[in-house]
Amino acid sequence: MLLRQLEYFCAVCERGSFTRAAEDHFVSQSAISQQVKSLESELGVRLLERKGRGFVITPAGQVLYRKGSDILSQLDDLRFEVEGVANGYATSLTVGYLNRYDGWEVQAAVAAFAARHPGIEINAVGGSHDELYRMVVSGEADLVFNDRRRELSGDFVNLHLMTGFGYVEISEIDPLSERDAVSVRELKGRCAILIAAPEMAEVERTYYRDHLNFDCEFRFVGSREEGRMLVAGNHGFMPIEMRQSEGASGAIVKRIPLVDATGKQASQSYYAFWLKSRTNPLVEEFAEILKGLFV
C-alpha cells in the first residue's frame, strides 16, 4: 500500500467526490480513480461501490478511511516535528495565563493543542498581569492570556478574546453575601485577598488601590484555591473575573457582581498577546484554538 493511494482514497471519502478530491490534490480525476482501483486490487477488497455517478463506502472502506485518516494525521505531525528540528523551528510552547481569571478556556486550548501535537511539549504557567508581561517580553512565554492594563503596543500581536466581568467572592456568613451586587465603596475597610507572587505584591496593591480605588487592607496568596480557603473562613473577599455576566454562586463561598458607582458591573478586556518578532506557526495555531473557544 502506497501512502499516496491512502491519501487519495481518504480524500475521496472525505470530499464525497472523485472530482473534488482530484481538485484538492491538483491531479486528474482519472489519476485519483486509478490509484483507488490499485489500492482495492492490492488489498483484495472493494472499498467503494460505484452507483451511477456516485459511490457508497463499503464496510471495509469505512474501516480503512477511519484508521487511515488517523495514520495520515500522525504522519503530518511527524513531518512537522522532523522539519521543525531540521530547520530550527520551535518544538515546544509555553503559554501564560492570568491567575485570577476563573474560566476554563485556556485549559481547554492546552488540551486541544496537546491532542493535535502529541510530540510538541506545551507548558502553561499562571501569573499576575505584570508577571505575564515580563514573561512574554523576556521570551519565557511564547503567548500570554492577559487583561489589558497598558496601551496596546505595535510590537505585539494583540488578539482580543473577551470582556471579563468583575465579581467578588465572599463568605456566606458575611452580611454582604445576601446582596445582589456590591460596590468598591461598600468594601472599604475590609480585607481584599489577591493572587500574586511576593515580588509582585506591591505592584498589585498599587493597581487595586490607585487604579481600581479599593480602600482596603490587602492579603496576598499564591493560588485561587488558597484564596478561596481564606474566603470560606471569612478572612476577607477575593476579586475575580469571569466571562459570563451572571455566574453561579456556591453555598459556602458566594459570588457577587462587583459594580461601579453607577451600578454598572465592572469589566475588563482580555487578549492573547505575543511579540511579532517571535511569532511562529505553533503560537498562531494555539491563538486560533483559543479564539475559537472564546467565540
Side-chain angles (χ1 to χ4, degrees):
M1 181 190 303
L2 298 177
L3 178 59
R4 180 170 297 176
Q5 292 174 335
L6 183 60
E7 288 178 335
Y8 286 173
F9 170 73
C10 289
V12 169
C13 294
E14 182 176 341
R15 298 289 279 156
S17 165
F18 282 85
T19 301
R20 288 193 288 269
E23 291 172 350
D24 288 348
H25 286 79
F26 304 101
V27 297
S28 67
Q29 180 178 334
S30 61
I32 291 278
S33 180
Q34 183 58 46
Q35 290 292 340
V36 173
K37 287 180 180 178
S38 297
L39 182 59
E40 289 180 320
S41 177
E42 181 179 340
L43 295 175
V45 298
R46 296 298 298 273
L47 302 172
L48 303 173
E49 292 286 352
R50 279 71 172 179
K51 290 192 175 182
R53 292 180 176 273
F55 62 84
V56 175
I57 306 174
T58 67
Q62 291 173 358
V63 171
L64 182 62
Y65 172 55
R66 184 176 66 254
K67 295 195 173 182
S69 296
D70 289 341
I71 291 171
L72 292 174
S73 178
Q74 292 172 14
L75 286 173
D76 283 341
D77 286 341
L78 178 60
R79 184 182 298 115
F80 178 86
E81 292 170 34
V82 170
E83 290 176 352
V85 171
N87 295 292
Y89 298 156
T91 56
S92 65
L93 185 72
T94 299
V95 177
Y97 62 92
L98 194 63
N99 53 19
R100 63 184 175 82
Y101 173 70
D102 192 26
W104 52 270
E105 294 86 359
V106 177
Q107 295 94 317
V110 168
F113 185 91
R116 287 190 190 183
H117 301 290
I120 300 294
E121 180 183 358
I122 181 166
N123 303 296
V125 182
S128 65
H129 173 94
D130 283 78
E131 285 176 311
L132 296 178
Y133 178 75
R134 176 187 56 77
M135 288 168 59
V136 75
V137 168
S138 67
E140 294 175 58
D142 300 295
L143 173 151
V144 296
F145 169 70
N146 206 355
D147 59 7
R148 177 185 173 182
R149 294 188 188 179
R150 295 174 166 87
E151 290 298 318
L152 298 179
S153 168
D155 294 333
F156 289 83
V157 178
N158 306 297
L159 179 63
H160 182 260
L161 296 174
M162 58 159 278
T163 297
F165 294 93
Y167 292 85
V168 294
E169 292 191 340
I170 197 163
S171 170
E172 63 171 349
I173 63 176
D174 190 301
L176 286 180
S177 67
E178 302 299 323
R179 301 285 300 276
D180 293 328
V182 63
S183 68
V184 171
R185 181 184 300 176
E186 291 169 316
L187 294 168
K188 180 178 179 180
R190 294 170 177 264
C191 179
I193 300 168
L194 304 180
I195 306 167
E199 63 272 19
M200 300 305 300
E202 191 55 38
V203 173
E204 290 296 292
R205 186 197 317 273
T206 300
Y207 176 73
Y208 275 85
R209 183 188 61 212
D210 298 343
H211 183 74
L212 300 181
N213 300 316
F214 278 79
D215 186 6
C216 300
E217 298 178 20
F218 294 98
R219 182 168 180 176
F220 295 92
V221 296
S223 68
R224 207 162 46 236
E225 291 70 25
E226 184 182 352
R228 283 181 176 150
M229 289 297 290
L230 291 174
V231 171
N234 199 27
H235 295 291
F237 68 91
M238 184 166 64
I240 66 165
E241 286 172 352
M242 295 179 58
R243 182 178 176 184
Q244 298 84 5
S245 58
E246 293 182 3
S249 184
I252 298 172
V253 174
K254 299 289 187 177
R255 185 177 297 154
I256 306 170
L258 178 66
V259 299
D260 59 23
T262 67
K264 182 180 179 181
Q265 189 168 4
S267 63
Q268 175 68 278
S269 294
Y270 278 79
Y271 287 76
F273 296 104
W274 68 95
L275 282 169
K276 291 179 180 178
S277 61
R278 294 200 181 107
T279 191
N280 63 60
L282 296 183
V283 170
E284 292 175 343
E285 182 176 356
F286 185 88
E288 283 301 311
I289 293 172
L290 193 59
K291 181 179 179 181
L293 289 167
F294 278 105
V295 170

